[in-house]
Structures are given as C-alpha cells and as structure tokens.
Amino acid sequence: MIYGTKLLETDTEIFIAALTKTPVYVWSLDSLGVYYQVNSGFIVKYTPDEVQIHSEHDSSLTQWYSRETNEFSIRF
C-alpha cells in the first residue's frame, strides 16, 4: 500500500474511479523495489490487462499502463 492512498485492485474499483472521474495515481517499481509515481490523471478506458490514463498535468497526453507492472490508487 502506498501511504495516503487506496489501491484499486478490482475491475469494479477501477470502473467506479472511471465513472466518478476520480483522480488516479499510477505507480511503478524502480530497480530497488521502491514505488514511485509515474503519472496521475483520470481513467479513460481499461481492459483486463491495461488502464488508459488522461494526464492531469498535460491535457494532450493519454497513455496506457499495464495492470501487471503498475499499480493504481486514489487519495482517501
């Protein structure tokens, strides 16, 4: 768990975050096994394997992230 956030682990949690346009954080592991924030934004689409995020910081950037190698969370 990443401090101050709730992980989105199920399709239902990801669907609700997308539906409510809740800001989502994208996290990845570095080579030392420490999580770092890759991006933040809103979920546009998702599949069983990937989540598409529309960046909060750059309105022209929309990117796909693997659900296997990244974690997604919301602030609580």
Side-chain angles (χ1 to χ4, degrees):
M1 179 170 165
I2 295 141
Y3 181 75
T5 67
K6 182 203 180 315
L7 288 178
L8 304 177
E9 299 178 287
T10 66
D11 284 342
T12 303
E13 291 171 332
I14 290 173
F15 174 73
I16 291 169
L19 189 64
T20 60
K21 298 185 187 216
T22 302
V24 173
Y25 301 103
V26 183
W27 303 90
S28 190
L29 281 174
D30 67 9
S31 60
L32 298 174
V34 177
Y35 280 99
Y36 66 98
Q37 186 178 337
V38 177
N39 198 359
S40 62
F42 303 95
I43 297 173
V44 178
K45 297 178 186 176
Y46 70 94
T47 70
D49 300 318
E50 297 180 310
V51 176
Q52 186 179 27
I53 302 290
H54 181 82
S55 178
E56 275 186 309
H57 306 292
D58 182 356
S59 61
S60 66
L61 181 64
T62 302
Q63 191 166 356
W64 286 95
Y65 294 94
S66 167
R67 290 175 72 175
E68 186 175 318
T69 60
N70 296 283
E71 291 192 350
F72 307 91
S73 66
I74 58 172
R75 184 182 309 253
F76 64 84

